[in-house]
Amino acid sequence: MRTIPKNDMYGYNSISQPIAVTDTLVSILLIIFIGYCIFIFYKTDAKMWLYYLMTGVIAGQLLFVSAPVNCRGYFLTYVFMYLIAMRFVVDAFSKVKLINWIIALAVILLGASYQSMLYQNHQVNLERVSDPQFYNGKKALTKHVPYRQFVWSNDLLNQQNPTYWKSYLGK
């Protein structure tokens, strides 16, 4: 993906046919595999089948009208897929007793670390956009957030809208 030109406002301009076809096939195979796993392990679980069917119903409807395809329209599909994944994970962890506490602790520590980085980014961003010269259009941003990899387009400074922040901060 690094070789494909990127428009920072809209994502990738064009993805070559072989990559797009391969990605589509792998995605379809993943959905079929998840259905197969539900069939093998949860034949009689109505909720799992409902989640699986809702994933297809929601995504299938959008394929006819969604252009360009983006993640906002597919958010509910991701929610149902995460519900299915959580059920798989919970059932897998229930089979192993001793390791559950270690895994739970690791997940909590990783989650806390991730949240800490996002919080620091948020605080630095609020500080830099609170400058009256910025939201009045007299000065551009010059300082980046500390964890740029967690921000869209790696925190391009021209992505911040002074009018939005002036209204948001109530200035």
Side-chain angles (χ1 to χ4, degrees):
M1 297 299 282
R2 291 180 187 195
T3 62
I4 299 171
K6 184 178 172 191
N7 175 337
D8 289 312
M9 292 302 290
Y10 301 107
Y12 293 97
N13 293 332
S14 64
I15 298 176
S16 68
Q17 193 71 9
I19 293 175
V21 169
T22 304
D23 181 54
T24 301
L25 291 175
V26 169
S27 297
I28 290 170
L29 287 174
L30 174 66
I31 292 171
I32 292 170
F33 177 73
I34 290 171
Y36 175 73
C37 289
I38 291 172
F39 177 75
I40 295 297
F41 298 112
Y42 305 101
K43 284 183 184 176
T44 60
D45 190 345
K47 280 187 183 177
M48 288 295 276
W49 285 111
L50 177 66
Y51 297 159
Y52 185 68
L53 292 174
M54 289 304 292
T55 299
V57 168
I58 291 170
Q61 299 294 325
L62 291 173
L63 289 176
F64 294 107
V65 297
S66 182
V69 175
N70 61 39
C71 64
R72 286 184 183 176
Y74 290 91
F75 179 72
L76 286 177
T77 299
Y78 289 115
V79 169
F80 286 115
M81 291 301 266
Y82 277 114
L83 288 171
I84 292 169
M86 282 190 283
R87 178 68 187 274
F88 285 160
V89 169
V90 166
D91 286 349
F93 281 159
S94 70
K95 306 291 186 222
V96 181
K97 299 295 181 197
L98 177 61
I99 198 103
N100 283 350
W101 291 103
I102 297 169
I103 292 172
L105 182 63
V107 168
I108 289 170
L109 289 175
L110 287 172
S113 171
Y114 182 76
Q115 284 297 104
S116 170
M117 290 183 268
L118 292 178
Y119 179 77
Q120 289 175 40
N121 275 354
H122 178 69
Q123 292 302 317
V124 169
N125 190 52
L126 279 181
E127 180 183 317
R128 71 182 183 173
V129 298
S130 294
D131 183 3
Q133 291 187 355
F134 165 70
Y135 60 74
N136 287 326
K138 296 178 182 172
K139 180 178 156 187
L141 296 177
T142 57
K143 182 179 177 185
H144 288 285
V145 295
Y147 301 100
R148 293 175 65 183
Q149 68 272 24
F150 292 116
V151 182
W152 170 251
S153 297
N154 291 326
D155 194 33
L156 288 178
L157 296 175
N158 64 357
Q159 296 284 316
Q160 296 289 349
N161 185 337
T163 307
Y164 168 82
W165 285 107
K166 183 175 184 177
S167 174
Y168 180 85
L169 296 170
K171 304 289 180 168

